[in-house]
Structure formats: structure tokens, C-alpha cells
Amino acid sequence: MTAPARPTVADTVWLARLVPAGPGWWVRAGKLPATPVGEPLADPAVGPTVGGGGWTVRYAMVVWTPGPMVVEMPPVWRLGPDGSADSLPGGTASFTVASVIPDSAAAPAPRPALAPLRVARRTPLPALAALLFSAGVLVAVIAWRRRLPRSAAAGLDLMLDPEVGDERWVAAGEPKAVAARAVSQLRDALARAVPEAHAALSTPECLEVVERTRPGAPIRELRELLGALDQVAFATAHGTDVVSLAARARALAERLAPLRTAAP
């Protein structure tokens, strides 16, 4: 038994066979072999018939070639409840596969030959124009990238924010910042007056250099102010009036200017 009745190429074709078997018997079907024109899609399906009295074996396959087909079916084994076995020959299944191509396309009528195509005349002008346009764009881009630098327009001088006063730093809880700024200003003025006392020296080394090279410098006042400010900057002194110390340091920095022309 074959389903569908009129299969076409690449349809799923079901081949069914009824195997009679008594009560308690089982049926085991062999696998359908593959051929160049068709092949099985799954293992055979075996199930009892409705009402008993036998088993139904169904095979699913697909066929690739139209026309009449004769398929060699595999044998079937019947297994009895007492362990006995019996084999039945598979036989053959015959059916016809229709083509999916219409009959009119199977034998097409000949058509007359086409007239020879005339070779179109080609001109190099479009390609030459495109090449010249691309070269012009490239030259323009290079010239734009290599344009001369623009001269900076004269503008207003840079406006700096006013310096934050010592009182505001102290009110903000930053007396060390006031002391560090005062030390920096005093050391800068001392380095300009005495180049040997540069900022890389420690406070004792700086005072020693000033005392040796500038005998007329206010060594005592420098030692007192720098020492007190260093103590505040390094948080080793508390309760010091750092605002007054910073004011004295600025005043002393202004008085150090005459030391630049003093002879060692």
C-alpha cells in the first residue's frame, strides 16, 4: 500500500505492509536500503492493527527521479511468545512518481536563433572625466590640510583670579597652606637675591650658604621666620599666628632685593 496515490519528486512516500500475527507475537522490520534514486527518511514504524490480528509496518522514503519505481522491501521477522522466530520475505513495492516540471517544459519547441548583438561603442571620456575629478578632489584636500597656520589674533591678556587671602585659608582650616605659601615666596626671593641658596637646599643648608656668601643678610630673622613657618607647615606647632608670620615673611622677601647687588 502506497500513500499518496500520485506522489511527485521529493514528496514523502509511505510504503505500508500488513503482517499477520497471532496473539502474543511481535514484529520486527528491517531497514529500507538507500538507492541512487531514493532513500529512507526514518526507521520503519511498527504498530498493531486496529482490532488486532496483525501488525502494520510503514516505511517513509523520498524519490528523486520521476517515473515508475520498483523498491525492494526488506524482510520482516515475527517473534513468538515462546521465543520462536519466523521471517517473511519483503517482496517489492511498485508505484509511479510524477515530475514537478510541466509537460510543456519537458519537450520545449525549438526557437529561432537570436540576431547577433551589435557591439556597443565605448568612449573613454567618462572614465577620463572621473579620473580628473578624483585627482582634483585629492589635490584640494591636500592643499587644505597643508594650509598655512593662521596668525593668532591679538586678544586680552590672561586674567588671573586674585590670590586667596591668608585669613580665608585659616578660616577654612588650612594654616599649613598659608605657611607653605609664605615659605615658598620667601625662599624664591632669597634664591633670586642669593643664587647659591637655591630651592633644592634644606632650610639649614640655605641659611648656611646665605651666612657664608652674604654676611650682611638678616640671618637671624630668616632663621626665625623659616623655622616657625616650617613648624606650621609640617604640623609640629599649634596655636601659632600663621597670618602674622606670613605677613612678616612677605615683608622680608621685599627687603631681600638689595642683596642681589651686594658683594660676597
Side-chain angles (χ1 to χ4, degrees):
M1 186 169 52
T2 305
R6 290 281 297 173
T8 58
V9 174
D11 282 348
T12 299
V13 181
W14 289 95
L15 304 178
R17 178 183 181 184
L18 178 62
V19 180
W25 283 73
W26 292 80
V27 173
R28 186 177 65 184
K31 292 185 178 182
L32 190 67
T35 63
V37 296
E39 58 182 295
L41 297 178
D43 291 338
V46 180
T49 59
V50 178
W55 292 74
T56 301
V57 181
R58 302 175 72 237
Y59 300 90
M61 68 174 301
V62 62
V63 179
W64 309 115
T65 303
M69 297 291 166
V70 178
V71 181
E72 295 290 338
M73 304 300 293
V76 178
W77 290 268
R78 293 186 297 186
L79 306 177
D82 55 354
S84 60
D86 184 18
S87 64
L88 298 176
T92 59
S94 301
F95 55 93
T96 302
V97 179
S99 176
V100 295
I101 301 177
D103 295 339
S104 59
R111 294 185 178 183
L114 298 176
L117 299 177
R118 186 175 59 181
V119 179
R121 296 181 180 179
R122 297 183 180 180
T123 173
L125 293 181
L128 182 60
L131 180 61
L132 293 177
F133 177 75
S134 301
V137 171
L138 179 60
V139 171
V141 171
I142 295 175
W144 178 77
R145 292 296 300 270
R146 293 187 178 181
R147 66 187 185 278
L148 296 177
R150 299 179 180 178
S151 58
L156 298 177
D157 295 338
L158 182 63
M159 301 298 293
L160 299 178
D161 294 334
E163 188 180 63
V164 179
D166 296 337
E167 293 80 2
R168 289 185 59 186
W169 278 113
V170 174
E174 294 292 342
K176 295 190 292 183
V178 176
R181 181 171 62 180
V183 169
S184 177
Q185 293 173 350
L186 184 55
R187 288 292 303 268
D188 289 345
L190 188 58
R192 289 192 298 269
V194 184
E196 294 85 354
H198 48 81
L201 299 177
S202 63
T203 299
E205 294 173 345
C206 176
L207 294 175
E208 182 181 355
V209 171
V210 174
E211 185 177 8
R212 185 176 68 252
T213 58
R214 299 292 191 273
I219 300 298
R220 181 176 180 181
E221 190 174 2
L222 283 170
R223 181 177 291 109
E224 178 185 354
L225 282 175
L226 290 175
L229 291 172
D230 283 343
Q231 290 180 358
V232 176
F234 291 103
T236 58
H238 303 280
T240 305
D241 188 4
V242 66
V243 176
S244 61
L245 288 176
R248 289 177 55 191
R250 293 191 186 92
L252 180 58
E254 295 178 358
R255 299 203 312 267
L256 291 176
L259 291 179
R260 301 179 186 179
T261 58

